[in-house]
Amino acid sequence: MAQAAQAAIGNSEFDRDTAVVPREPGVYDALLSPGWTILHAVNGGYLLGLLGRALGDALPHSDPFTLSAHFVSASTPGPAVIRTQTVRTGGTLSTGQASLCQADEDGREVERIRVLATYGDLDGLTGDVRTSATPPVLPPREQCVGPADAPGLDLSRTWAILGRLDIRLDPATVGWALGDPSGKGEVRGWFSLADGRDPDPLSVLATVDFFPPTSFDLGLPGWTPTVELTAHIRCRPAPGPLRVAISTRNLAGGFLEEDAEVWDSADRLVAQSRQLAKAPR
């Protein structure tokens, strides 16, 4: 049987579903796809990709360097409007903000997510790297675990987003799927988009919130809604699968943090993030 062609950047499901249509300067119409939902809410990483695309069009620089997002209310599939504002422009960096809004049942506009971001040119960065960070040590992809390998935990019925992602988790971090969480608050694995599209800064921005929450490994199943997330894009990723490591060190007062690192096929740290989330009840 012939192998399916790999989707190209700009012509993939992710690109089509994060498309924005200019309505007027700084204002964009969007359609939130039901294919990127968990339960009935649209995934936060997908929303970052959508808002990141709008800001990349509105600002004079196209590459996200840092983005901080506050999740005001749960987004749902359907029409949305994104309003952007340029805060500052300079020779190498520009800063802007964006809000995504949807109409509620009474037709009133409700803000879903607000971001403040700084953009630049990743190709203009220097090659000087001084780091103590190291990529996560993972088994080969074929020895890692995907959703199909855990028939007793069929998340595909409530996590439509899993059909768009190719996640292969380190077996050492999937005890929760078998009713035996480690309690360490760690999730590690390989990541690609399901259609084979290579990563770029926009998809990496979304990747930081695509993995199962570390609360699962703490023995806390259930929805873990993000309150705030800050992501840093450190360089343009090389083609090929990504490696992602996420950890939580502190759960207190009903909230937990998640620190994520994303590494590319050239062993470079391409993205970092931290988010504050509500712990499942």
Side-chain angles (χ1 to χ4, degrees):
M1 184 173 63
Q3 184 176 0
Q6 176 176 310
I9 295 175
N11 187 28
S12 72
E13 186 174 29
F14 176 79
D15 297 302
R16 292 190 294 272
D17 288 349
T18 58
V20 294
V21 179
R23 178 193 296 182
E24 57 188 74
V27 181
Y28 301 85
D29 289 309
L31 185 64
L32 307 191
S33 168
W36 301 85
T37 55
I38 297 175
L39 299 176
H40 301 295
V42 178
N43 170 260
Y46 166 70
L47 293 174
L48 295 185
L50 193 69
L51 287 158
R53 190 177 297 282
L55 280 168
D57 183 80
L59 295 173
H61 298 93
S62 59
D63 295 329
F65 275 34
T66 178
L67 183 149
S68 295
H70 286 263
F71 293 79
V72 183
S73 58
S75 300
T76 57
V81 59
I82 300 172
R83 294 186 174 86
T84 68
Q85 178 184 355
T86 300
V87 177
R88 177 188 177 275
T89 60
T92 58
L93 296 173
S94 55
T95 300
Q97 65 178 13
S99 291
L100 183 146
C101 299
Q102 292 184 296
D104 66 11
E105 295 178 352
D106 298 322
R108 296 173 299 189
E109 190 169 272
V110 177
E111 187 171 21
R112 302 300 194 193
I113 176 174
R114 183 180 298 192
V115 305
L116 181 67
T118 294
Y119 277 56
D121 179 9
L122 290 170
D123 295 327
L125 298 180
T126 71
D128 184 22
V129 177
R130 310 179 196 192
T131 181
S132 61
T134 57
V137 178
L138 298 173
R141 289 180 77 241
E142 59 271 15
Q143 295 178 18
C144 290
V145 179
D149 300 312
L153 188 73
D154 186 8
L155 294 177
S156 62
R157 292 176 298 176
T158 53
W159 290 38
I161 190 174
L162 291 180
R164 274 94 219 140
L165 313 177
D166 183 359
I167 294 177
R168 310 289 179 88
L169 297 179
D170 184 343
T173 68
V174 294
W176 51 269
L178 303 174
D180 186 25
S182 75
K184 296 179 180 179
E186 296 177 346
V187 176
R188 296 184 300 272
W190 296 90
F191 175 79
S192 299
L193 289 169
D195 59 11
R197 178 198 191 273
D198 278 324
D200 70 349
L202 205 61
S203 69
V204 169
L205 184 64
T207 298
V208 300
D209 197 42
F210 276 161
F211 268 54
T214 54
S215 56
F216 287 5
D217 192 47
L218 294 174
L220 298 172
W223 190 35
T224 310
T226 302
V227 177
E228 186 272 342
L229 185 153
T230 294
H232 299 159
I233 305 300
R234 306 306 303 268
C235 62
R236 192 177 303 280
L242 300 168
R243 285 159 291 171
V244 180
I246 310 174
S247 63
T248 291
R249 295 192 303 166
N250 188 57
L251 188 159
F255 293 84
L256 57 88
E257 92 288 341
E258 284 193 349
D259 291 318
E261 292 184 351
V262 182
W263 295 78
D264 71 0
S265 60
D267 285 345
R268 298 178 305 163
L269 180 62
V270 296
Q272 299 164 279
S273 72
R274 165 166 282 194
Q275 67 171 282
L276 182 70
K278 288 184 177 180
R281 296 180 180 179

